[in-house]
C-alpha cells in the first residue's frame, strides 16, 4: 500500500501513488515514482530537487500532459486521470502552469493584451468588453500599467516584465491552482525576490493554491508553507518549511540545505553541494534511491525501499531507514567532499 502521511486538511488536490514512465530507446525511465501528496486550498507547496528528479514531469502529470502511468489525481471531486478530454478541458482554466523561460513561452508576434486574454478567448469566458476589462485589471495586478504595456510585444519588454505577463495570463481564467515550474530561475537574482513577492501578493488577493518548483531550497524558503523534496522520481521528505529548514530528517535534504547555507554566506554555489551524480532513472539502485550518495547508508538501505512515514510532530514525513537527528545535522557530513 502506498503510504502517504502527507495529507492536508481540506485538500484541493490529492495525488495517490502517481507514477510516470517514459519509454526511451535506452529503456524505461520512471520519471515519477509512487508520489502521494495533498495540496490544501490556498496553500503554497514547493517541490525541490536536483535536475532530472521529476519535478516538471510531476507538474505536467497533474495537468494530464501526459496522463500518468499509474495513480490517481483528485482535483476537488474529480479524478483527473479518468476524466474525458472534454471534461478535462472544462477544468483546465482552473489549473495553470507558468514556465521557466518567460520570453520563449510568449508568442513573439502577439501584443501583451492578446497574450493575456488568450485563455479567456480559448475558453470563451466573458464578453469582449469584459475580457478587455479583466486584462487591464490583471495587468495592473501584476504591476504593469496597461496604458504603457498592453500594446507591446514580448521583444519590447525585459525578462522580468515578460514573466509578469506570463503570470497574468496564467491567473486570468479564475485559476485555483497555479503551478510555477522554475518560474524565476532564468531571471536575474535581483529580480527573483520581486517576482516571488508578486506571486505572494497575487496569492493573497486571488486565493489560489501554489505549487512552486525549484532546484534548491534557498529559493523556496519564503514562499512555501510546506516543502516536498524529490529524489529520482520519489518524494523523500515532506513537511512544514520551517521544520525542514531547522531540522532536516532526510540526508538528501541536509545536503540541499548545504547549498542554502552557502548562499546565505554569499558564496557562489549551485545545488550540487551533495557530492556525486544522481543515478540513472533507467537503472535505479536497489532499495533506497539515495544510497549511492548517502554517508549514512547501511545494509538494509540496499535491500528495502524506505517508504514515507511520519516523523515527529507537525505532519512531517520522511523516506529514510535512519532519519537524521539533531546531532547528525550539526556535523558537516557532506562538507569534506564538496
Ligand atoms: N519526454 C521525455 N522522454 C523521456 N524521458 C524524459 C522525458 N521528459 C523527462 N524525461 C526524463 O525524466 C526524468 C525527469 O525529468 P524532469 O524534466 O521531470 O526533471 P526535473 O526535475 O524537472 O529536471 P530539471 O530541474 O532539469 O527541470 C529525467 O530523467 C528526464 O531525462
Ligand atoms: S535509507 Fe539509508 S541510504 Fe537512504 S537516505 Fe536513509 S540512510 Fe541514506
Ligand atoms: Mg524541470
Amino acid at each position: 500500500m502506498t503510504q502517504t502521511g502527507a495529507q492536508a486538511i481540506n485538500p484541493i488536490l490529492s495525488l495517490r501513488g502517481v507514477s510516470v514512465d517514459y519509454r526511451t530507446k535506452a529503456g524505461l525511465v520512471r520519471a515519477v515514482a509512487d508520489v502521494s501528496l495533498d495540496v490544501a486550498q490556498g496553500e503554497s507547496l514547493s517541490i525541490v530537487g536536483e535536475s532530472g528528479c521529476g519535478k516538471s514531469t510531476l507538474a505536467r502529470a497533474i495537468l494530464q500532459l501526459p496522463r500518468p502511468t499509474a495513480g490517481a489525481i483528485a482535483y476537488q471531486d474529480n479524478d483527473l486521470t479518468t476524466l474525458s478530454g472534454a471534461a478535462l478541458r472544462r477544468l483546465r482554466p482552473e489549473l495553470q502552469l507558468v514556465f521557466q523561460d518567460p520570453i520563449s513561452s510568449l508568442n513573439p508576434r502577439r501584443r501583451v493584451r492578446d497574450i493575456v486574454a488568450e485563455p479567456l478567448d480559448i475558453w470563451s469566458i466573458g464578453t469582449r468588453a469584459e475580457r478587455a476589462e479583466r486584462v487591464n485589471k490583471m495587468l495592473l495586478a501584476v504591476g504593469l500599467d496597461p496604458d504603457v504595456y498592453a500594446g507591446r510585444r514580448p521583444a519590447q519588454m525585459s525578462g522580468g516584465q515578460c514573466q509578469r505577463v506570463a503570470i497574468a495570463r496564467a491567473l486570468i481564467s479564475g485559476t485555483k491552482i497555479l503551478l510555477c515550474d522554475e518560474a524565476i530561475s532564468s531571471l536575474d537574482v535581483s529580480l527573483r525576490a520581486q517576482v516571488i513577492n508578486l506571486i505572494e501578493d497575487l496569492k493573497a488577493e486571488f486565493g489560489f493554491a501554489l505549487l512552486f518548483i525549484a532546484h534548491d531550497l534557498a529559493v523556496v524558503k519564503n514562499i512555501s508553507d510546506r516543502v516536498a523534496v524529490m529524489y529520482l522520481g520519489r518524494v523523500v521528505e515532506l513537511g512544514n518549511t520551517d521544520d525542514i529548514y531547522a531540522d532536516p530528517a532526510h540526508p538528501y535534504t541536509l545536503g540541499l540545505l548545504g547549498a542554502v547555507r552557502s548562499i546565505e554566506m554569499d558564496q557562489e554555489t549551485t545545488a550540487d553541494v551533495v557530492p556525486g551524480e544522481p543515478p540513472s532513472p533507467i537503472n535505479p539502485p536497489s532499495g533506497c534511491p539515495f544510497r549511492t550518495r548517502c554517508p549514512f547508508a547501511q545494509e538494509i538501505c540496499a535491500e528495502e525501499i524506505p517508504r514515507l512515514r511520519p516523523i515527529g510532530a507537525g505532519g512531517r514525513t520522511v523516506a529514510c531507514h535512519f532519519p537524521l537527528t539533531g546531532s547528525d545535522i550539526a556535523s558537516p557530513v557532506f562538507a569534506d567532499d564538496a
Side-chain angles (χ1 to χ4, degrees):
M1 191 187 113
T2 302
Q3 298 184 25
T4 67
Q7 286 99 347
I9 298 164
N10 193 18
I12 187 168
L13 186 73
S14 289
L15 279 61
R16 292 292 175 270
V18 173
S19 296
V20 180
D21 295 341
Y22 292 116
R23 268 173 212 292
T24 68
K25 282 193 186 122
L28 196 72
V29 175
R30 173 142 290 194
V32 170
D34 195 18
V35 167
S36 297
L37 55 83
D38 286 351
V39 182
Q41 207 110 29
E43 178 186 35
S44 157
L45 174 70
S46 290
I47 299 176
V48 299
E50 286 160 296
S51 185
C53 72
K55 305 179 295 294
S56 297
T57 302
L58 183 64
R60 295 173 62 83
I62 292 169
L63 301 177
Q64 310 299 297
L65 299 168
R67 288 184 193 269
T69 314
I73 300 180
Y75 167 64
Q76 296 178 331
D77 293 329
N78 308 282
D79 180 354
L80 300 180
T81 62
T82 56
L83 281 189
S84 69
L88 203 52
R89 273 192 295 280
R90 276 197 293 279
L91 292 176
R92 276 306 309 274
E94 299 176 17
L95 301 154
Q96 291 290 310
L97 183 60
V98 176
F99 298 96
Q100 173 169 0
D101 183 353
I103 295 170
S104 68
S105 74
L106 305 178
N107 184 334
R109 287 184 297 278
R110 305 201 78 190
R111 295 184 191 278
V112 164
R113 71 166 72 82
D114 301 322
I115 292 171
V116 175
E118 213 166 52
L120 304 179
D121 296 337
I122 293 172
W123 292 301
S124 306
I125 299 170
T127 64
R128 211 170 158 163
E130 284 163 357
R131 286 179 213 175
E133 196 189 325
R134 265 171 90 157
V135 168
N136 280 352
K137 278 193 182 152
M138 192 50 82
L139 284 175
L140 281 173
V142 299
L144 295 174
D145 180 349
D147 291 339
V148 178
Y149 294 101
R152 291 200 187 177
R153 293 195 167 86
Q156 299 168 305
M157 303 175 81
S158 69
Q161 288 166 340
C162 285
Q163 200 55 302
R164 286 170 191 263
V165 172
I167 292 168
R169 178 179 59 182
L171 290 180
I172 201 157
S173 52
T175 305
K176 302 275 189 349
I177 300 179
L178 182 69
L179 299 109
C180 289
D181 190 355
E182 309 264 6
I184 59 162
S185 307
S186 68
L187 301 179
D188 286 349
V189 173
S190 58
L191 279 178
R192 290 183 185 175
Q194 274 182 33
V195 174
I196 285 198
N197 290 341
L198 171 70
I199 294 172
E200 286 201 302
D201 290 348
L202 292 167
K203 191 169 153 303
E205 185 176 347
F206 297 104
F208 51 84
L210 176 67
L211 258 160
F212 191 87
I213 293 172
H215 270 89
D216 61 78
L217 278 164
V219 170
V220 306
K221 192 172 181 179
N222 297 322
I223 203 169
S224 39
D225 302 312
R226 289 189 305 151
V227 176
V229 179
M230 280 185 81
Y231 188 79
L232 215 65
R234 294 178 184 275
V235 172
V236 296
E237 182 160 13
L238 177 59
N240 295 327
T241 308
D242 292 345
D243 296 346
I244 285 190
Y245 273 79
D247 197 14
H250 196 284
Y252 181 59
T253 315
L254 179 66
L256 290 182
L257 273 169
V260 176
R261 301 214 172 94
S262 311
I263 288 168
E264 285 172 351
M265 289 189 297
D266 252 358
Q267 293 170 356
E268 270 295 308
T269 187
T270 59
D272 64 358
V273 162
V274 185
E277 293 288 319
S280 161
I282 295 177
N283 189 17
S286 63
C288 173
F290 189 57
R291 74 174 168 81
T292 52
R293 299 164 81 189
C294 181
F296 304 100
Q298 314 268 329
E299 226 171 277
I300 188 180
C301 302
E303 290 159 8
E304 211 176 286
I305 299 177
R307 303 288 171 190
L308 271 183
R309 52 200 165 89
I311 178 170
R316 179 116 60 110
T317 52
V318 62
C320 174
H321 294 305
F322 306 101
L324 301 177
T325 62
S327 56
D328 300 320
I329 296 161
S331 56
V333 285
F334 289 109
D336 291 343
D337 305 324

